[in-house]
Short mmCIF file of all heavy atoms in Angstrom, two decimals:
data_model
loop_
_atom_site.label_atom_id
_atom_site.label_comp_id
_atom_site.label_asym_id
_atom_site.label_seq_id
_atom_site.Cartn_x
_atom_site.Cartn_y
_atom_site.Cartn_z
N MET A 1 -11.09 -3.41 40.88
CA MET A 1 -10.80 -2.26 39.97
C MET A 1 -9.59 -2.75 38.95
O MET A 1 -8.77 -3.41 39.35
CB MET A 1 -10.37 -1.08 40.74
CG MET A 1 -9.89 -0.01 39.91
SD MET A 1 -9.50 1.51 40.74
CE MET A 1 -7.87 1.03 41.32
N ALA A 2 -9.84 -2.42 37.75
CA ALA A 2 -8.78 -2.75 36.73
C ALA A 2 -7.57 -1.91 37.00
O ALA A 2 -7.68 -0.70 37.27
CB ALA A 2 -9.44 -2.60 35.27
N LYS A 3 -6.47 -2.58 36.67
CA LYS A 3 -5.19 -1.79 36.86
C LYS A 3 -4.25 -2.25 35.64
O LYS A 3 -4.16 -3.51 35.39
CB LYS A 3 -4.45 -2.14 38.16
CG LYS A 3 -3.15 -1.49 38.35
CD LYS A 3 -2.56 -1.89 39.68
CE LYS A 3 -1.14 -1.36 39.86
NZ LYS A 3 -0.50 -1.86 41.10
N ILE A 4 -3.66 -1.34 34.99
CA ILE A 4 -2.78 -1.63 33.88
C ILE A 4 -1.42 -0.99 34.18
O ILE A 4 -1.36 0.22 34.42
CB ILE A 4 -3.23 -1.20 32.46
CG1 ILE A 4 -4.58 -1.81 32.25
CG2 ILE A 4 -2.21 -1.42 31.49
CD1 ILE A 4 -5.20 -1.34 30.93
N THR A 5 -0.38 -1.86 34.28
CA THR A 5 0.96 -1.39 34.56
C THR A 5 1.74 -1.37 33.28
O THR A 5 1.83 -2.47 32.65
CB THR A 5 1.66 -2.10 35.71
OG1 THR A 5 0.79 -2.11 36.85
CG2 THR A 5 3.08 -1.52 35.93
N VAL A 6 2.41 -0.28 32.79
CA VAL A 6 3.19 -0.29 31.63
C VAL A 6 4.52 -0.56 32.01
O VAL A 6 5.27 0.33 32.64
CB VAL A 6 2.96 1.06 30.92
CG1 VAL A 6 3.84 1.17 29.63
CG2 VAL A 6 1.51 1.39 30.56
N LYS A 7 5.01 -1.78 31.66
CA LYS A 7 6.35 -2.03 32.09
C LYS A 7 7.47 -1.55 31.20
O LYS A 7 7.30 -1.49 30.01
CB LYS A 7 6.47 -3.66 32.10
CG LYS A 7 5.62 -4.35 32.88
CD LYS A 7 5.75 -3.98 34.45
CE LYS A 7 7.03 -4.64 35.05
NZ LYS A 7 7.35 -4.34 36.36
N THR A 8 8.46 -0.91 31.74
CA THR A 8 9.53 -0.38 30.98
C THR A 8 10.13 -1.49 30.07
O THR A 8 10.60 -2.63 30.64
CB THR A 8 10.62 0.28 31.82
OG1 THR A 8 10.00 1.23 32.68
CG2 THR A 8 11.72 0.79 31.04
N ASN A 9 10.21 -1.30 28.77
CA ASN A 9 10.72 -2.30 27.83
C ASN A 9 10.18 -3.72 27.94
O ASN A 9 10.74 -4.66 27.62
CB ASN A 9 12.27 -2.46 28.01
CG ASN A 9 13.05 -1.04 27.90
OD1 ASN A 9 12.70 -0.26 27.02
ND2 ASN A 9 14.11 -0.94 28.66
N GLY A 10 8.80 -3.63 28.33
CA GLY A 10 8.13 -4.92 28.36
C GLY A 10 6.70 -4.73 28.13
O GLY A 10 6.24 -3.74 27.55
N PRO A 11 5.94 -5.77 28.63
CA PRO A 11 4.55 -5.90 28.27
C PRO A 11 3.54 -4.93 29.17
O PRO A 11 4.12 -4.09 30.03
CB PRO A 11 4.06 -7.20 28.65
CG PRO A 11 5.20 -7.59 29.82
CD PRO A 11 6.43 -6.89 29.54
N TYR A 12 2.26 -5.01 28.94
CA TYR A 12 1.37 -4.32 29.81
C TYR A 12 0.96 -5.46 30.85
O TYR A 12 0.55 -6.42 30.52
CB TYR A 12 0.12 -3.86 29.14
CG TYR A 12 0.31 -2.85 28.03
CD1 TYR A 12 0.15 -3.27 26.72
CD2 TYR A 12 0.62 -1.54 28.27
CE1 TYR A 12 0.39 -2.30 25.64
CE2 TYR A 12 0.82 -0.64 27.34
CZ TYR A 12 0.61 -0.96 26.03
OH TYR A 12 0.89 0.01 24.99
N LEU A 13 1.03 -5.05 32.04
CA LEU A 13 0.59 -6.02 33.08
C LEU A 13 -0.81 -5.54 33.55
O LEU A 13 -1.00 -4.51 33.96
CB LEU A 13 1.44 -6.03 34.35
CG LEU A 13 2.74 -6.85 34.33
CD1 LEU A 13 3.32 -6.72 35.77
CD2 LEU A 13 2.35 -8.27 34.01
N VAL A 14 -1.77 -6.42 33.33
CA VAL A 14 -3.19 -6.22 33.41
C VAL A 14 -3.79 -6.99 34.55
O VAL A 14 -3.58 -8.20 34.68
CB VAL A 14 -3.87 -6.50 32.14
CG1 VAL A 14 -5.41 -6.22 32.27
CG2 VAL A 14 -3.40 -5.68 31.00
N GLU A 15 -4.47 -6.32 35.53
CA GLU A 15 -5.09 -7.03 36.65
C GLU A 15 -6.59 -6.55 36.85
O GLU A 15 -6.88 -5.53 36.53
CB GLU A 15 -4.44 -6.55 38.00
CG GLU A 15 -2.90 -6.91 37.93
CD GLU A 15 -2.10 -6.30 39.18
OE1 GLU A 15 -2.47 -6.61 40.29
OE2 GLU A 15 -1.34 -5.44 38.96
N GLY A 16 -7.37 -7.44 37.20
CA GLY A 16 -8.89 -7.17 37.55
C GLY A 16 -9.68 -6.99 36.38
O GLY A 16 -10.69 -6.24 36.34
N VAL A 17 -9.35 -7.74 35.23
CA VAL A 17 -10.12 -7.69 34.01
C VAL A 17 -10.43 -9.00 33.53
O VAL A 17 -9.71 -10.01 33.78
CB VAL A 17 -9.56 -6.78 32.92
CG1 VAL A 17 -9.31 -5.29 33.36
CG2 VAL A 17 -8.25 -7.34 32.50
N THR A 18 -11.44 -9.15 32.61
CA THR A 18 -11.66 -10.33 31.77
C THR A 18 -11.23 -9.94 30.32
O THR A 18 -11.52 -8.95 29.81
CB THR A 18 -13.09 -10.65 31.78
OG1 THR A 18 -13.56 -10.88 33.15
CG2 THR A 18 -13.40 -11.80 30.87
N ILE A 19 -10.37 -10.71 29.85
CA ILE A 19 -9.87 -10.57 28.43
C ILE A 19 -10.61 -11.60 27.57
O ILE A 19 -10.66 -12.77 27.71
CB ILE A 19 -8.35 -10.84 28.44
CG1 ILE A 19 -7.70 -9.89 29.40
CG2 ILE A 19 -7.76 -10.69 26.93
CD1 ILE A 19 -6.18 -10.12 29.50
N VAL A 20 -11.22 -11.02 26.56
CA VAL A 20 -12.07 -11.84 25.54
C VAL A 20 -11.43 -11.65 24.26
O VAL A 20 -10.78 -10.75 23.85
CB VAL A 20 -13.54 -11.40 25.47
CG1 VAL A 20 -14.20 -11.50 26.96
CG2 VAL A 20 -13.64 -9.99 25.08
N ASP A 21 -11.64 -12.78 23.31
CA ASP A 21 -11.35 -12.80 21.96
C ASP A 21 -12.30 -11.91 21.15
O ASP A 21 -13.35 -11.31 21.65
CB ASP A 21 -11.12 -14.19 21.49
CG ASP A 21 -12.35 -14.94 21.41
OD1 ASP A 21 -13.54 -14.37 21.43
OD2 ASP A 21 -12.32 -16.20 21.14
N GLY A 22 -12.12 -11.95 19.89
CA GLY A 22 -12.94 -11.10 18.89
C GLY A 22 -14.34 -11.63 18.87
O GLY A 22 -15.34 -10.86 18.43
N GLU A 23 -14.64 -12.77 19.38
CA GLU A 23 -16.07 -13.37 19.45
C GLU A 23 -16.57 -13.13 20.80
O GLU A 23 -17.75 -13.55 21.14
CB GLU A 23 -15.98 -14.83 19.04
CG GLU A 23 -15.24 -15.15 17.81
CD GLU A 23 -16.01 -14.60 16.61
OE1 GLU A 23 -17.27 -14.55 16.56
OE2 GLU A 23 -15.29 -13.93 15.74
N GLY A 24 -15.90 -12.42 21.60
CA GLY A 24 -16.40 -12.34 23.10
C GLY A 24 -16.19 -13.37 24.06
O GLY A 24 -16.71 -13.34 25.16
N ARG A 25 -15.34 -14.47 23.62
CA ARG A 25 -15.14 -15.58 24.39
C ARG A 25 -13.98 -15.28 25.41
O ARG A 25 -12.89 -15.03 24.92
CB ARG A 25 -14.85 -16.92 23.76
CG ARG A 25 -16.00 -17.31 22.76
CD ARG A 25 -15.60 -18.46 21.93
NE ARG A 25 -14.48 -18.05 21.02
CZ ARG A 25 -14.47 -18.26 19.67
NH1 ARG A 25 -15.36 -18.92 19.12
NH2 ARG A 25 -13.38 -17.81 19.06
N PRO A 26 -14.10 -15.50 26.69
CA PRO A 26 -13.08 -15.15 27.56
C PRO A 26 -11.93 -16.15 27.47
O PRO A 26 -12.11 -17.32 27.24
CB PRO A 26 -13.62 -15.14 28.90
CG PRO A 26 -14.99 -16.00 28.75
CD PRO A 26 -15.30 -15.86 27.25
N PHE A 27 -10.74 -15.53 27.63
CA PHE A 27 -9.47 -16.51 27.59
C PHE A 27 -9.53 -17.14 28.90
O PHE A 27 -9.81 -16.51 29.99
CB PHE A 27 -8.21 -15.72 27.42
CG PHE A 27 -8.01 -15.23 26.04
CD1 PHE A 27 -8.41 -13.98 25.51
CD2 PHE A 27 -7.31 -16.07 25.04
CE1 PHE A 27 -8.19 -13.60 24.25
CE2 PHE A 27 -7.08 -15.69 23.81
CZ PHE A 27 -7.62 -14.38 23.42
N PRO A 28 -9.14 -18.38 29.04
CA PRO A 28 -9.03 -18.98 30.46
C PRO A 28 -7.78 -18.46 31.18
O PRO A 28 -6.67 -18.81 30.79
CB PRO A 28 -8.86 -20.49 30.07
CG PRO A 28 -8.39 -20.55 28.73
CD PRO A 28 -8.71 -19.37 28.01
N LEU A 29 -8.05 -17.69 32.08
CA LEU A 29 -6.95 -17.13 32.90
C LEU A 29 -7.08 -17.47 34.36
O LEU A 29 -8.16 -17.79 34.77
CB LEU A 29 -6.90 -15.53 32.68
CG LEU A 29 -6.96 -15.01 31.41
CD1 LEU A 29 -7.07 -13.58 31.34
CD2 LEU A 29 -5.48 -15.41 30.67
N GLU A 30 -5.99 -17.56 35.05
CA GLU A 30 -6.02 -17.87 36.43
C GLU A 30 -6.47 -16.65 37.22
O GLU A 30 -5.92 -15.42 37.10
CB GLU A 30 -4.55 -18.01 36.92
CG GLU A 30 -4.61 -18.97 38.19
CD GLU A 30 -3.19 -19.50 38.42
OE1 GLU A 30 -2.41 -19.80 37.49
OE2 GLU A 30 -2.72 -19.64 39.67
N ALA A 31 -7.65 -16.81 37.98
CA ALA A 31 -8.29 -15.74 38.76
C ALA A 31 -7.24 -15.04 39.72
O ALA A 31 -6.49 -15.78 40.42
CB ALA A 31 -9.42 -16.29 39.55
N GLY A 32 -7.35 -13.76 39.77
CA GLY A 32 -6.54 -13.04 40.75
C GLY A 32 -5.04 -12.84 40.41
O GLY A 32 -4.36 -12.15 41.07
N LYS A 33 -4.67 -13.37 39.25
CA LYS A 33 -3.25 -13.13 38.82
C LYS A 33 -3.20 -12.19 37.69
O LYS A 33 -4.04 -12.22 36.86
CB LYS A 33 -2.71 -14.57 38.31
CG LYS A 33 -2.38 -15.45 39.54
CD LYS A 33 -1.62 -16.63 39.10
CE LYS A 33 -0.13 -16.20 39.09
NZ LYS A 33 0.87 -17.31 38.93
N PRO A 34 -2.14 -11.32 37.69
CA PRO A 34 -2.08 -10.37 36.66
C PRO A 34 -1.61 -11.14 35.33
O PRO A 34 -1.01 -12.18 35.25
CB PRO A 34 -0.86 -9.40 37.09
CG PRO A 34 -0.28 -10.03 38.30
CD PRO A 34 -1.20 -11.14 38.71
N VAL A 35 -1.98 -10.60 34.16
CA VAL A 35 -1.65 -11.12 32.88
C VAL A 35 -0.81 -10.14 32.20
O VAL A 35 -1.01 -8.82 32.12
CB VAL A 35 -3.01 -11.36 32.19
CG1 VAL A 35 -2.73 -11.84 30.76
CG2 VAL A 35 -3.85 -12.42 32.86
N ALA A 36 0.21 -10.57 31.52
CA ALA A 36 1.04 -9.73 30.59
C ALA A 36 0.48 -9.82 29.20
O ALA A 36 0.49 -10.83 28.62
CB ALA A 36 2.50 -10.26 30.84
N LEU A 37 0.24 -8.60 28.75
CA LEU A 37 -0.23 -8.47 27.35
C LEU A 37 0.98 -7.88 26.42
O LEU A 37 1.70 -6.97 26.91
CB LEU A 37 -1.41 -7.59 27.16
CG LEU A 37 -2.72 -8.04 27.85
CD1 LEU A 37 -3.85 -7.01 27.64
CD2 LEU A 37 -3.21 -9.35 27.23
N CYS A 38 1.15 -8.42 25.29
CA CYS A 38 2.25 -8.13 24.39
C CYS A 38 2.07 -6.67 23.92
O CYS A 38 1.04 -6.16 23.54
CB CYS A 38 2.36 -9.00 23.25
SG CYS A 38 3.69 -8.57 22.10
N ARG A 39 3.21 -5.94 24.04
CA ARG A 39 3.23 -4.51 23.55
C ARG A 39 4.22 -4.31 22.33
O ARG A 39 4.16 -3.42 21.72
CB ARG A 39 3.64 -3.56 24.76
CG ARG A 39 3.78 -2.14 24.52
CD ARG A 39 3.63 -1.22 25.64
NE ARG A 39 4.73 -1.43 26.54
CZ ARG A 39 5.37 -0.45 27.09
NH1 ARG A 39 5.23 0.85 26.68
NH2 ARG A 39 6.39 -0.71 27.88
N CYS A 40 5.05 -5.31 22.28
CA CYS A 40 6.03 -5.23 21.16
C CYS A 40 5.71 -5.70 19.84
O CYS A 40 6.24 -5.40 18.87
CB CYS A 40 7.38 -5.97 21.65
SG CYS A 40 7.29 -7.79 21.52
N GLY A 41 4.68 -6.56 19.89
CA GLY A 41 4.13 -7.08 18.56
C GLY A 41 4.84 -8.40 18.19
O GLY A 41 4.45 -8.97 17.12
N ALA A 42 5.80 -8.87 18.90
CA ALA A 42 6.45 -9.98 18.40
C ALA A 42 6.23 -11.35 19.11
O ALA A 42 6.78 -12.41 18.75
CB ALA A 42 8.00 -9.81 18.74
N SER A 43 5.18 -11.26 20.17
CA SER A 43 4.88 -12.53 20.78
C SER A 43 4.23 -13.55 19.73
O SER A 43 3.48 -13.22 18.88
CB SER A 43 3.89 -12.20 21.93
OG SER A 43 3.38 -13.44 22.49
N ALA A 44 4.68 -14.87 19.94
CA ALA A 44 3.98 -15.93 19.27
C ALA A 44 2.67 -16.37 19.85
O ALA A 44 1.98 -17.18 19.31
CB ALA A 44 4.98 -17.08 19.08
N HIS A 45 2.33 -15.75 21.01
CA HIS A 45 1.09 -16.15 21.71
C HIS A 45 0.25 -14.87 22.00
O HIS A 45 -0.23 -14.78 23.04
CB HIS A 45 1.45 -16.87 22.98
CG HIS A 45 2.26 -18.09 22.67
ND1 HIS A 45 1.80 -19.25 22.25
CD2 HIS A 45 3.62 -18.29 22.96
CE1 HIS A 45 2.79 -20.04 22.16
NE2 HIS A 45 3.86 -19.65 22.56
N LYS A 46 0.11 -14.01 21.06
CA LYS A 46 -0.65 -12.81 21.13
C LYS A 46 -2.17 -13.20 21.52
O LYS A 46 -2.61 -14.18 21.08
CB LYS A 46 -0.79 -12.01 19.93
CG LYS A 46 0.62 -11.39 19.63
CD LYS A 46 0.48 -10.53 18.38
CE LYS A 46 1.81 -10.14 17.80
NZ LYS A 46 2.53 -11.18 17.07
N PRO A 47 -2.78 -12.49 22.43
CA PRO A 47 -2.44 -11.15 22.98
C PRO A 47 -1.37 -11.17 23.99
O PRO A 47 -1.18 -10.08 24.69
CB PRO A 47 -3.70 -10.51 23.25
CG PRO A 47 -4.47 -11.63 23.77
CD PRO A 47 -4.00 -12.81 22.85
N PHE A 48 -0.90 -12.30 24.40
CA PHE A 48 -0.17 -12.41 25.72
C PHE A 48 1.35 -12.32 25.32
O PHE A 48 1.88 -12.66 24.34
CB PHE A 48 -0.37 -13.75 26.38
CG PHE A 48 -1.91 -13.90 26.68
CD1 PHE A 48 -2.68 -14.77 25.94
CD2 PHE A 48 -2.42 -13.13 27.65
CE1 PHE A 48 -4.07 -14.84 26.09
CE2 PHE A 48 -3.90 -13.32 27.92
CZ PHE A 48 -4.64 -14.13 27.18
N CYS A 49 2.05 -11.83 26.35
CA CYS A 49 3.59 -11.73 26.22
C CYS A 49 4.11 -13.09 26.49
O CYS A 49 3.61 -13.84 27.37
CB CYS A 49 3.99 -10.73 27.31
SG CYS A 49 5.82 -10.66 27.57
N ASP A 50 5.16 -13.47 25.58
CA ASP A 50 5.74 -14.75 25.86
C ASP A 50 7.23 -14.47 26.11
O ASP A 50 8.08 -15.48 26.06
CB ASP A 50 5.56 -15.60 24.66
CG ASP A 50 6.26 -15.10 23.37
OD1 ASP A 50 6.81 -13.98 23.30
OD2 ASP A 50 6.03 -15.80 22.27
N GLY A 51 7.60 -13.22 26.38
CA GLY A 51 9.09 -12.89 26.71
C GLY A 51 9.90 -12.57 25.43
O GLY A 51 11.10 -12.22 25.56
N THR A 52 9.26 -12.57 24.19
CA THR A 52 10.03 -12.34 22.98
C THR A 52 10.49 -11.00 23.04
O THR A 52 11.55 -10.64 22.33
CB THR A 52 9.23 -12.66 21.69
OG1 THR A 52 8.90 -14.09 21.87
CG2 THR A 52 9.97 -12.55 20.45
N HIS A 53 9.90 -9.96 23.79
CA HIS A 53 10.33 -8.69 23.67
C HIS A 53 11.78 -8.50 24.11
O HIS A 53 12.48 -7.61 23.64
CB HIS A 53 9.55 -7.82 24.63
CG HIS A 53 9.40 -8.16 26.05
ND1 HIS A 53 8.60 -9.18 26.44
CD2 HIS A 53 10.27 -7.77 27.02
CE1 HIS A 53 8.81 -9.27 27.80
NE2 HIS A 53 9.83 -8.57 28.15
N ILE A 54 12.24 -9.49 24.87
CA ILE A 54 13.78 -9.40 25.39
C ILE A 54 14.58 -9.79 24.09
O ILE A 54 15.55 -9.19 23.80
CB ILE A 54 13.95 -10.39 26.52
CG1 ILE A 54 13.11 -9.80 27.70
CG2 ILE A 54 15.46 -10.49 26.84
CD1 ILE A 54 13.15 -10.84 28.84
N LYS A 55 14.17 -10.77 23.41
CA LYS A 55 14.97 -11.26 22.22
C LYS A 55 15.11 -10.19 21.06
O LYS A 55 16.11 -10.11 20.46
CB LYS A 55 14.33 -12.63 21.68
CG LYS A 55 14.56 -13.87 22.49
CD LYS A 55 13.89 -14.97 21.73
CE LYS A 55 13.82 -16.15 22.80
NZ LYS A 55 12.90 -17.22 22.18
N VAL A 56 13.94 -9.54 20.89
CA VAL A 56 13.90 -8.58 19.85
C VAL A 56 14.47 -7.15 20.25
O VAL A 56 14.46 -6.28 19.43
CB VAL A 56 12.51 -8.48 19.07
CG1 VAL A 56 11.98 -9.88 18.62
CG2 VAL A 56 11.49 -7.89 20.23
N GLY A 57 14.81 -7.04 21.48
CA GLY A 57 15.23 -5.72 22.10
C GLY A 57 14.36 -4.73 21.99
O GLY A 57 14.68 -3.49 21.67
N PHE A 58 13.10 -5.07 22.38
CA PHE A 58 12.06 -3.90 22.44
C PHE A 58 12.37 -2.82 23.42
O PHE A 58 12.78 -3.14 24.53
CB PHE A 58 10.69 -4.61 22.89
CG PHE A 58 9.64 -3.63 23.06
CD1 PHE A 58 9.04 -2.93 22.01
CD2 PHE A 58 9.21 -3.39 24.36
CE1 PHE A 58 8.06 -2.07 22.19
CE2 PHE A 58 8.04 -2.37 24.54
CZ PHE A 58 7.52 -1.81 23.47
N ARG A 59 12.31 -1.59 22.91
CA ARG A 59 12.58 -0.49 23.67
C ARG A 59 11.39 0.34 23.92
O ARG A 59 10.85 0.81 22.90
CB ARG A 59 13.68 0.40 23.10
CG ARG A 59 14.95 -0.32 22.93
CD ARG A 59 15.74 -0.59 24.26
NE ARG A 59 15.96 0.68 24.83
CZ ARG A 59 16.19 0.75 26.18
NH1 ARG A 59 16.48 -0.44 26.81
NH2 ARG A 59 16.60 1.83 26.69
N SER A 60 10.71 0.52 25.06
CA SER A 60 9.42 1.13 25.19
C SER A 60 9.41 2.59 24.80
O SER A 60 8.30 3.11 24.46
CB SER A 60 8.83 0.95 26.49
OG SER A 60 9.84 1.40 27.61
N GLU A 61 10.51 3.21 25.00
CA GLU A 61 10.55 4.74 24.66
C GLU A 61 10.27 4.89 23.23
O GLU A 61 9.86 6.04 22.85
CB GLU A 61 11.86 5.38 25.12
CG GLU A 61 13.01 4.85 24.43
CD GLU A 61 13.82 3.80 25.16
OE1 GLU A 61 13.18 3.16 26.09
OE2 GLU A 61 14.93 3.51 24.85
N ASP A 62 10.41 3.93 22.34
CA ASP A 62 10.23 4.04 20.98
C ASP A 62 8.69 4.13 20.68
O ASP A 62 8.26 4.50 19.55
CB ASP A 62 10.82 3.01 20.11
CG ASP A 62 12.42 2.98 20.11
OD1 ASP A 62 12.91 4.01 20.49
OD2 ASP A 62 12.96 1.95 19.82
N THR A 63 7.83 3.54 21.58
CA THR A 63 6.43 3.66 21.36
C THR A 63 5.61 4.62 22.09
O THR A 63 4.42 4.71 22.10
CB THR A 63 5.82 2.18 21.76
OG1 THR A 63 6.03 1.97 23.16
CG2 THR A 63 6.55 1.15 20.88
N GLU A 64 6.33 5.29 23.02
CA GLU A 64 5.73 6.33 23.83
C GLU A 64 5.37 7.61 23.12
O GLU A 64 6.13 7.98 22.21
CB GLU A 64 6.46 6.78 25.08
CG GLU A 64 6.61 5.41 26.06
CD GLU A 64 7.58 5.60 27.20
OE1 GLU A 64 8.37 6.64 27.12
OE2 GLU A 64 7.52 4.90 28.14
N THR A 65 4.37 8.25 23.55
CA THR A 65 3.97 9.57 22.84
C THR A 65 5.02 10.62 23.30
O THR A 65 5.70 10.42 24.31
CB THR A 65 2.71 10.08 23.28
OG1 THR A 65 2.58 10.25 24.71
CG2 THR A 65 1.53 9.09 22.89
N PRO A 66 5.38 11.62 22.59
CA PRO A 66 6.31 12.59 22.83
C PRO A 66 6.09 13.25 24.26
O PRO A 66 6.92 13.47 24.99
CB PRO A 66 6.16 13.66 21.78
CG PRO A 66 5.73 12.80 20.51
CD PRO A 66 4.81 11.89 21.21
N ALA A 67 4.87 13.44 24.66
CA ALA A 67 4.41 14.05 25.86
C ALA A 67 4.87 13.23 27.03
O ALA A 67 5.17 13.74 28.05
CB ALA A 67 3.10 14.48 25.94
N ARG A 68 4.83 11.88 26.86
CA ARG A 68 5.05 10.93 27.96
C ARG A 68 6.52 10.50 28.01
O ARG A 68 7.10 10.20 29.00
CB ARG A 68 4.19 9.75 27.66
CG ARG A 68 4.36 8.60 28.77
CD ARG A 68 3.84 9.00 30.03
NE ARG A 68 3.90 7.88 31.01
CZ ARG A 68 4.82 8.00 32.04
NH1 ARG A 68 5.42 9.10 32.39
NH2 ARG A 68 4.96 6.92 32.89
N ALA A 69 7.24 10.63 26.81
CA ALA A 69 8.61 10.10 26.73
C ALA A 69 9.64 10.90 27.51
O ALA A 69 10.54 10.41 28.13
CB ALA A 69 9.10 10.17 25.36
N LYS A 70 9.31 12.15 27.79
CA LYS A 70 10.43 12.93 28.54
C LYS A 70 9.82 13.30 29.82
O LYS A 70 8.73 13.42 30.08
CB LYS A 70 10.73 14.19 27.73
CG LYS A 70 11.31 13.93 26.44
CD LYS A 70 12.77 13.38 26.51
CE LYS A 70 13.44 12.96 25.16
NZ LYS A 70 14.46 12.24 25.23
S1 FES B 1 5.82 -7.49 25.12
FE1 FES B 1 6.58 -9.37 25.66
S2 FES B 1 6.52 -10.52 23.88
FE2 FES B 1 5.76 -8.59 23.26
#
């Protein structure tokens, strides 16, 4: 079963899925390990998180919907 964990001030942690590019080709990922997808937009290795969210001071509450933020 797929699971997506929305990390506070960080990426989406994705488990149990295959991630493909725009041509439908799967990214080579280690089976059974969660993958961090960039949520801040600053990663140099999109769609994956490379930790840049820390350098840019990404704050997740800035991207949450009003109903979810409070
Ligand atoms: S969320 Fe980590 S680099 Fe964007």
Side-chain angles (χ1 to χ4, degrees):
M1 177 174 79
K3 177 181 175 185
I4 300 173
T5 303
V6 181
K7 300 297 288 181
T8 301
N9 301 328
Y12 299 111
L13 275 187
V14 179
E15 303 172 64
V17 299
T18 299
I19 300 172
V20 299
D21 66 14
E23 306 298 318
R25 296 176 298 229
F27 286 94
L29 303 174
E30 201 169 325
K33 290 194 77 173
V35 174
L37 295 179
C38 181
R39 180 159 66 129
C40 73
S43 173
H45 303 287
K46 293 181 191 78
F48 304 103
C49 170
D50 65 359
T52 303
H53 60 270
I54 297 168
K55 291 182 191 168
V56 300
F58 174 69
R59 302 289 302 166
S60 56
E61 63 266 17
D62 295 343
T63 63
E64 293 175 342
T65 61
R68 178 74 178 113
K70 298 289 177 198

